[in-house]
Amino acid sequence: MKATSSFKKLFELLGGSRNLKLDNFPLNHLRIDSRKVEKNDVFVAIKGHTVDGRAFIPQAILAGAVVVLTETNRKSNDLKIGYIKQDDKSIIPQISVFQLSQRLSLIANDFYHSPSKKLSVIGVTGTNGKTTVTQLIAQCVKLLNEKSALMGTIGNGIYNQLEPSANTTASAIEVQTLLADFVKKQVKVVTMEISSHGLAMDRVKGLNCAATVFTNLSRDHLDYHKTMSKYAKAKWSLFSPDEKEKQVLSAGKSIINYDDKYGKRWIEKLPQVTAVSCQPKSLRQLKALNIPYVGVSMIDYHDKGAKIHMESSWGNAIINSRLLGEFNVSNLLLAIATLLTLNYPFFAVVNMACFLKPICGRMEVFHVKNSPTVIVDYAHTPDALQKALQACRIHCKGLLWVIFGCGGDRDTGKRPLMGEIAEQFADKIILTNDNPRTENEMKIIRDIQQGLHYTDNIQIITDRVQAITQTLEKAKPNDVILIAGKGHEDYQIVGKTKYHYSDQETVKRLLGVENQS
């Protein structure tokens, strides 16, 4: 493999002197995971929340690492070079770097020669809708005969060739490594989910975005951010024009959901912005803003999706969407607005929008004759659960059932809120396990029950397969069953063990279908 950089160049990227005499041997990749290290790689040993990378330096060297970067808390120790003796023949340089974790994204960007400048990177953030918006944009770009790639919850890679991802937003190094690989593969557009964790942990500081998209903001991740204001601040940092606040090298043009209270505020602060609304009453306000906009004058919902009467700064059109629910109208409009803002042809975009398919685990419909309709969705926040249930109600002629739980070792405050929402919008509630992790499963369910006032229509079946099986046996053909919380996930975490499990596989087996969406 051709070297990406050299030791001397790396030292200069870290801020070292150009005049220092150093061996100028070739380097291939930066690696934060010792298991991925190969010959002539640089191993970056930083201390994470649960694992200290310094403990894996010996394994990295054995795997072929020829340089090690470690973090120092003392500015006076910045760029000091020590040496690790591997054997009688080789000595591995170890460079101490001040604030390495915070600088890592920028270092990786420089090491890989600013790959995001050679691509149209679209960063999408928000509590809900990130996966759907990124997938819809990538689908549309593919239909317009351009090569697209994705980075996010479902996976990373070329569209329809995704490798599973550990986090919504990859590590600072992985982000730049993936982008560099996409450049080599002649990708045109990369759509990337950017989580609040990714922003707070400085994973995207070295990113040049052609566009940034905001979907919405509601309660989630307060186990990490503690307050909604801190959570909102993390999201805002993706768009902020303030050099002290911004989390990317360039935010590009911003596409903001005007229907969200945070989005409405942010629109007024941004220099290059397109406003998006799926509320017909907002059209007059959008036009008055004197900025580019995409909105709707009317939406007709039906069993197969929605007929959207769209108005925009680029023109008007009728779009027949195959996606269920008002929130998916918003997601679709955000995707369309992003492509129009990036100067894709109006008629080509709106024509392709009619062919966009539902996303894996996002309001994914399964139905056979004489059986209830089953919808699998990733909804795991109060707001997402409410919107999913409201969308299901539009298509429900009988009883609306909901099967859900809450993740263990995560924000406990949202559990009673989700119970309250389930009671308000569903007819029948089945409480089950999500990913209990190291928490007691009944403790999680009791937390959800705190938001419930009536017990007649509630059943507890902790085994998720049994919960789905028994509900399908009881429900009638005109009923709709929403299975919420896991969506695309093909695993369940109990204790510290990850077991194979999929809501989709369970439903397809019970209904006797391969796939219907």
Side-chain angles (χ1 to χ4, degrees):
M1 185 183 291
K2 186 179 177 181
T4 303
S5 193
S6 67
F7 180 58
K8 185 176 181 182
K9 180 65 176 175
L10 173 65
F11 192 72
E12 290 172 2
L13 293 177
L14 296 171
S17 171
R18 292 175 176 270
N19 300 321
L20 197 62
K21 290 184 178 180
L22 297 168
D23 292 335
N24 202 22
F25 50 85
L27 303 173
N28 285 334
H29 287 290
L30 300 178
R31 300 291 188 194
I32 203 168
D33 186 339
S34 61
R35 294 167 296 184
K36 294 182 179 179
V37 170
E38 297 177 348
K39 186 178 179 181
N40 290 347
D41 282 350
V42 179
F43 179 55
V44 183
I46 58 174
K47 189 175 182 180
H49 287 286
T50 56
V51 177
D52 190 338
R54 292 172 296 184
F56 299 94
I57 291 174
Q59 292 94 313
I61 291 173
L62 283 172
V66 289
V67 179
V68 174
L69 302 184
T70 54
E71 191 152 20
T72 177
N73 293 324
R74 294 184 179 181
K75 196 169 184 179
S76 58
N77 288 336
D78 189 33
L79 300 186
K80 283 192 174 179
I81 303 177
Y83 293 92
I84 303 168
K85 191 171 182 181
Q86 181 191 17
D87 49 40
D88 292 337
K89 295 181 180 179
S90 60
I91 295 174
I92 307 299
Q94 177 178 324
I95 307 174
S96 298
V97 183
F98 181 61
Q99 296 182 331
L100 177 59
S101 299
Q102 295 96 307
R103 296 171 57 193
L104 199 48
S105 180
L106 292 165
I107 292 167
N109 173 64
D110 290 340
F111 185 87
Y112 288 104
H113 312 296
S114 303
S116 57
K117 284 186 176 179
K118 302 164 189 173
L119 302 156
S120 287
V121 176
I122 300 167
V124 182
T125 198
T127 305
N128 303 308
K130 296 187 295 296
T131 299
T132 299
V133 173
T134 53
Q135 290 267 340
L136 291 176
I137 295 171
Q139 269 192 60
C140 197
V141 170
K142 174 74 173 175
L143 289 170
L144 293 169
N145 295 316
E146 290 184 353
K147 201 168 187 179
S148 62
L150 291 123
M151 298 167 68
T153 308
I154 293 179
N156 303 320
I158 306 296
Y159 178 69
N160 272 347
Q161 301 172 34
L162 303 183
E163 296 289 332
S165 55
N167 299 299
T168 298
T169 306
S171 74
I173 288 176
E174 288 172 320
V175 166
Q176 298 295 338
T177 306
L178 285 163
L179 291 174
D181 186 53
F182 295 152
V183 171
K184 288 180 183 176
K185 292 176 179 176
Q186 298 182 314
V187 168
K188 174 74 173 177
V189 175
V190 178
T191 57
M192 178 180 176
E193 295 180 50
I194 301 180
S195 67
S196 58
H197 290 77
L199 290 161
M201 294 177 184
D202 301 309
R203 293 177 186 168
V204 293
K205 272 193 170 179
L207 205 63
N208 283 280
C209 293
T212 42
V213 183
F214 173 68
T215 60
N216 50 64
L217 198 142
S218 61
R219 183 181 179 126
D220 200 13
H221 305 306
L222 295 196
D223 53 315
Y224 179 83
H225 295 286
K226 306 305 179 188
T227 67
M228 281 298 294
S229 62
K230 289 181 180 177
Y231 180 36
K233 187 177 181 181
K235 295 289 189 188
W236 166 246
S237 68
L238 177 61
F239 307 94
S240 174
D242 188 332
E243 290 297 328
K244 292 180 181 178
E245 291 184 1
K246 67 191 302 184
Q247 276 289 334
V248 288
L249 290 170
S250 173
K253 297 176 179 179
S254 296
I255 297 85
I256 305 289
N257 179 9
Y258 183 76
D259 299 331
D260 182 272
K261 66 178 183 180
Y262 292 94
K264 195 169 287 189
R265 276 185 238 147
W266 295 354
I267 282 170
E268 298 174 2
K269 301 179 182 180
L270 294 170
Q272 299 184 82
V273 64
T274 299
V276 174
S277 174
C278 64
Q279 301 295 331
K281 64 183 180 182
S282 295
L283 263 181
R284 189 176 296 175
Q285 294 167 300
L286 290 178
K287 292 174 182 177
L289 286 172
N290 200 28
I291 57 173
Y293 72 91
V294 174
V296 294
S297 57
M298 186 168 63
I299 307 170
D300 298 318
Y301 295 102
H302 52 77
D303 287 347
K304 300 296 182 182
K307 184 177 182 180
I308 304 164
H309 299 256
M310 187 189 88
E311 292 190 20
S312 78
S313 300
W314 291 266
N316 303 336
I318 294 176
I319 297 169
N320 290 300
S321 169
R322 298 164 64 183
L323 310 177
L324 300 184
E326 182 181 4
F327 65 95
N328 269 328
V329 174
S330 178
N331 290 332
L332 179 58
L333 292 181
L334 286 164
I336 290 170
T338 301
L339 292 168
L340 294 178
T341 301
L342 293 177
N343 298 319
Y344 281 81
F346 176 78
F347 289 108
V349 171
V350 295
N351 287 339
M352 290 303 105
C354 299
F355 296 98
L356 298 178
K357 299 176 183 178
I359 314 304
C360 172
R362 269 62 177 177
M363 297 302 287
E364 189 173 0
V365 180
F366 300 88
H367 180 71
V368 295
K369 192 175 180 180
N370 298 322
S371 292
T373 298
V374 181
I375 298 176
V376 174
D377 191 69
Y378 191 50
H380 60 281
T381 69
D383 182 63
L385 183 62
Q386 178 176 332
K387 288 176 178 175
L389 285 168
Q390 287 174 322
C392 290
R393 180 64 73 186
I394 295 170
H395 306 282
C396 183
K397 296 181 175 68
L399 295 177
L400 176 55
W401 302 67
V402 62
I403 302 171
F404 79 102
C406 287
D409 303 329
R410 297 294 186 270
D411 180 9
T412 59
K414 70 180 182 181
R415 295 171 186 173
L417 298 176
M418 293 182 71
E420 185 178 354
I421 284 164
E423 187 172 73
Q424 183 180 351
F425 294 96
D427 300 308
K428 300 281 187 179
I429 300 169
I430 313 296
L431 298 180
T432 189
N433 283 341
D434 190 281
N435 292 318
R437 298 184 178 88
T438 63
E439 268 196 86
N440 180 279
E441 60 185 30
M442 287 309 300
K443 193 265 183 188
I444 297 171
I445 286 173
R446 284 194 297 271
D447 286 346
I448 298 171
Q449 286 179 302
Q450 287 179 19
L452 300 169
H453 301 94
Y454 308 100
T455 58
D456 293 349
N457 297 319
I458 300 163
Q459 190 174 0
I460 298 170
I461 308 173
T462 55
D463 183 276
R464 202 167 175 97
V465 174
Q466 284 303 310
I468 296 170
T469 303
Q470 291 183 36
T471 303
L472 271 168
E473 289 171 352
K474 293 176 183 177
K476 296 179 180 179
N478 280 340
D479 293 351
V480 171
I481 302 167
L482 172 66
I483 305 173
K486 296 186 64 61
H488 67 282
E489 290 180 355
D490 61 357
Y491 59 84
Q492 188 170 41
I493 304 172
V494 181
K496 294 186 177 180
T497 305
K498 183 184 279 190
Y499 299 94
H500 177 77
Y501 171 78
S502 164
D503 282 342
Q504 288 106 318
E505 289 175 12
T506 301
V507 171
K508 284 188 279 188
R509 177 175 57 79
L510 292 171
L511 290 179
V513 297
E514 283 302 311
N515 186 31
Q516 293 190 14
S517 60

